[in-house]
Amino acid sequence: MDSNDIFRKLTCGASFKKSNFTLQKQKVPTTWKIKEEIKSEPVNLYSDAEKVKEWLSSANSDEDIKSEPEEELNILDDLRTQGVGEKRKKSRQLSKKVKNQLATEAVNHMRNMYKISVMGSNIPPPIETFDEMAQRYSLRMDISNNLTICGYRDPTPIQMQAMPVMLQKKHSLLACAPTGSGKTAAFLVPIIRDLETPKKAGFRALIVCPTRELARQILRECSRLCEGMNFKLHLITKTQKAEEVYSPEKTRRFDILISTPNRICFLLKENLLDLSGVQWLVIDEADKLFEEKGKNSFRKQLNEILEACSNPNRRVALFSATHTPIVAKWTKRNLKHLVKVSVGVRNSATDSVEQELLFVGSEAGKLLAVRDLVKQGLQPPVLIFVQSKERAQQLLSELLYDGINVEAIHADRTQNERDSVVRGFREGKIWVLICTELMSRGIDFKGVNLVINYDFPPSSISYVHRIGRAGRAGRRGKAITFFTADDVVNLRGIAQIIRNSGGTVPDYMLALKRRSRKVRRKLMNSAPKREDITTLPKFMQRKKTQKTPQNSPNKKKIKHSQ
């Protein structure tokens, strides 16, 4: 190999190195210096191959020349690994966001599927099965077994969302769901789970409801759900001898109290009831208890109860089948960490009830329509709603002669009579039960096939509660509402409810003029005057109500003396 070949190889190598490391002059200075020094050498240097080799060996050793490109490659590898790490972090963050978005979309899809709407912050996702609730919230096996024994297979929509909200230890709850949707179990199961074990520390949970019959029903359901757990339940039934019954030593052994607000307020005034340890205050049928006006208003009594429950860790849950602005304003003003849960369309009837509006002409036409239904063949049990206890007794006296087992329940009857009537209706001994407005709230009569609104409901909310006694727990039912020309005030609103739930109504009902709020409130507060329910001729009715001179003993004596 001559000097020219060595020169070609050297120059080729130098140009190769220049092309590779031109962009990296500052990082690889040694290689660049070799090239410049070779160019600056005299030409005769390249003629001597041995001198060239010596010069190359003295300038840089092979190890130095090899090591510097390796260091540069290591720097590049570090930069690449840093880029990959950042990409992985970003991909992880993106994957978390995607997972959260997918989870929220799944929750929203589930809520939309069951028509669940929620309002609030940090709302837990709904549950699909009771097993999922047991795993997520450490539900005791006793409660799970009792749910199975009581016939609860899968949670209803209100139970899917209300139970997780109550089991999270920071939220208050306002729940609205259709009649017969399982609201009672929706608040009983979280209370039993939250109390955990019996403690001799006084009442720790208070459940308030508008009627004694509903209170007894809640007590019966609560005893079934906490079977075998030794919780002490108490229902205030009598205020007689209250000093002996509600002494501090005796009330300390109870855990859950169920009552109407009137009886609780009586004991609070007598300083016989201590509610300072209440952890859970549940108000069932909240829209009824928060009515400001009317004959059966409980608003003042409920305020006294709220003041007596002075536990700073107290939580409040309100349940109802209908939504009213009064309850919504009060909860927004007085409750912290409030969550609102509603199922379906607000203030709408359940779609499991076939609804019908029947024009009967006059008050006498109502009785003829009932007897016509009896001739066609009633399928008991049947509920008939009237507007007052006097009309309930009048209708009872008329239907007793039609050969059907009928009874009436109202406020004039004693507690024992009312309990026996409800028991007979549940057992099937009574086929037709005549009742007033208060019986439309929360009472769960299994398998009611027909509801007859003999007197037109005073409001749309009242209509929803009345017909909700049928079609409960997935069963089908029917509701017939009688109306006359005097019942046009609320006819449009009720016709709209029927249309929204899938029923058919004439178009002229929806085109009726909407009455003013003042007129509708007046109808809610005072029932309209109606003719008596009777088939007696008017002269015989007057003969019963008026005392004639012939019946007066003094007149007879005067005539005889004359």
Side-chain angles (χ1 to χ4, degrees), residues 32 92 127 133 200 210 272 277 298 361 433 437 478-479 486 507 514 524 528 555:
W32 185 258
R92 286 175 184 174
I127 57 169
M133 183 177 66
K200 293 183 179 181
L272 297 173
F298 302 105
L433 181 61
E437 186 68 25
K478 187 175 181 180
D486 298 330
D507 293 335
R514 185 177 179 85
M524 289 178 63
K555 289 287 183 180

Side-chain angles (χ1 to χ4, degrees), residues 530-553:
R530 302 181 187 273
E531 297 178 2
D532 292 339
I533 304 173
T534 181
T535 54
L536 290 176
K538 289 186 178 180
F539 76 92
M540 292 187 69
Q541 296 178 28
R542 287 194 297 267
K543 194 173 182 180
K544 280 190 172 184
T545 55
Q546 297 177 359
K547 290 183 178 180
T548 58
Q550 289 79 6
N551 293 334
S552 176

Side-chain angles (χ1 to χ4, degrees), residues 235-246:
L235 174 68
I236 302 177
T237 55
K238 292 182 180 180
T239 54
Q240 301 172 359
K241 299 180 181 180
E243 295 180 358
E244 298 179 3
V245 177
Y246 297 99

Side-chain angles (χ1 to χ4, degrees), residues 354-416:
E354 179 187 351
Q355 303 167 61
E356 179 183 350
L357 287 170
L358 182 62
F359 180 71
V360 292
S362 63
E363 291 296 322
K366 294 180 180 179
L367 190 57
L368 292 175
V370 171
R371 285 176 169 155
D372 189 34
L373 290 173
V374 173
K375 288 181 181 178
Q376 294 176 7
L378 288 177
Q379 294 183 355
V382 178
L383 283 174
I384 301 179
F385 285 98
V386 292
Q387 71 181 24
S388 65
K389 54 190 177 184
E390 293 81 11
R391 290 176 65 81
Q393 198 62 37
Q394 292 171 4
L395 183 59
L396 173 64
S397 61
E398 287 292 331
L399 295 182
L400 282 173
Y401 299 102
D402 292 338
I404 56 177
N405 297 330
V406 60
E407 260 294 355
I409 183 169
H410 48 77
D412 283 351
R413 308 198 73 168
T414 64
Q415 187 60 44
N416 291 333

Side-chain angles (χ1 to χ4, degrees), residues 207-219:
I207 302 171
V208 183
C209 55
T211 62
R212 286 173 285 182
E213 286 74 19
L214 181 56
R216 287 183 177 275
Q217 178 179 297
I218 294 173
L219 176 68

Side-chain angles (χ1 to χ4, degrees), residues 56-281:
L56 286 174
S57 60
S58 63
N60 272 330
S61 61
D62 294 337
E63 293 179 357
D64 295 334
I65 295 172
K66 291 179 181 179
S67 63
E68 298 212 2
E70 287 179 0
E71 290 178 0
E72 179 62 24
L73 290 174
N74 291 335
I75 293 170
L76 292 174
D77 290 337
D78 292 339
L79 293 173
R80 288 171 186 170
T81 53
Q82 288 179 3
V84 171
E86 291 178 358
K87 288 182 179 179
R88 286 179 180 176
K89 288 181 181 178
K90 290 181 179 179
S91 64
R92 286 175 184 174
Q93 293 175 356
L94 290 173
S95 63
K96 287 181 180 179
K97 290 182 180 180
V98 170
K99 286 180 181 179
N100 292 332
Q101 289 177 357
L102 291 174
T104 53
E105 286 179 3
V107 170
N108 293 333
H109 175 71
M110 183 178 176
R111 286 173 178 159
N112 293 332
M113 186 170 59
Y114 292 103
K115 299 179 180 179
I116 302 172
S117 60
V118 295
M119 288 182 64
S121 59
N122 298 324
I123 303 174
I127 57 169
E128 291 188 278
T129 61
F130 288 116
D131 294 335
E132 181 182 350
M133 183 177 66
Q135 294 174 1
R136 192 187 300 175
Y137 298 101
S138 302
L139 197 68
R140 291 178 53 174
M141 287 298 298
D142 297 343
I143 304 176
S144 300
N145 294 334
N146 291 335
L147 283 169
T148 305
I149 293 170
C150 293
Y152 294 98
R153 297 181 180 177
D154 295 317
T156 60
I158 187 61
Q159 293 169 359
M160 289 179 180
Q161 188 62 74
M163 286 182 176
V165 171
M166 292 184 69
L167 288 170
Q168 265 197 351
K169 297 184 177 181
K170 61 179 179 179
H171 290 300
S172 297
L173 176 65
L174 173 59
C176 179
T179 55
S181 58
K183 293 188 290 294
T184 303
F187 63 76
L188 284 178
V189 172
I191 287 175
I192 297 170
R193 160 67 182 81
D194 200 19
L195 298 183
E196 293 182 352
T197 56
K199 296 178 182 178
K200 293 183 179 181
F203 296 113
R204 293 181 289 153
L206 173 60
I207 302 171
V208 183
C209 55
T211 62
R212 286 173 285 182
E213 286 74 19
L214 181 56
R216 287 183 177 275
Q217 178 179 297
I218 294 173
L219 176 68
R220 183 170 56 254
E221 192 69 16
C222 187
S223 60
R224 293 173 63 197
L225 289 172
C226 62
E227 181 71 26
M229 302 177 67
N230 298 323
F231 279 109
K232 299 295 182 182
L233 315 178
H234 183 67
L235 174 68
I236 302 177
T237 55
K238 292 182 180 180
T239 54
Q240 301 172 359
K241 299 180 181 180
E243 295 180 358
E244 298 179 3
V245 177
Y246 297 99
S247 62
E249 296 178 356
K250 291 186 178 180
T251 56
R252 195 176 293 117
R253 61 192 178 94
F254 292 112
D255 298 294
I256 301 174
L257 176 63
I258 305 167
S259 179
T260 56
N262 187 25
R263 301 195 175 194
I264 296 175
C265 291
F266 176 83
L267 296 175
L268 289 175
K269 289 178 182 178
E270 299 294 328
N271 294 322
L272 297 173
L273 193 62
D274 183 16
L275 300 178
S276 60
V278 170
Q279 302 173 15
W280 268 111
L281 173 59

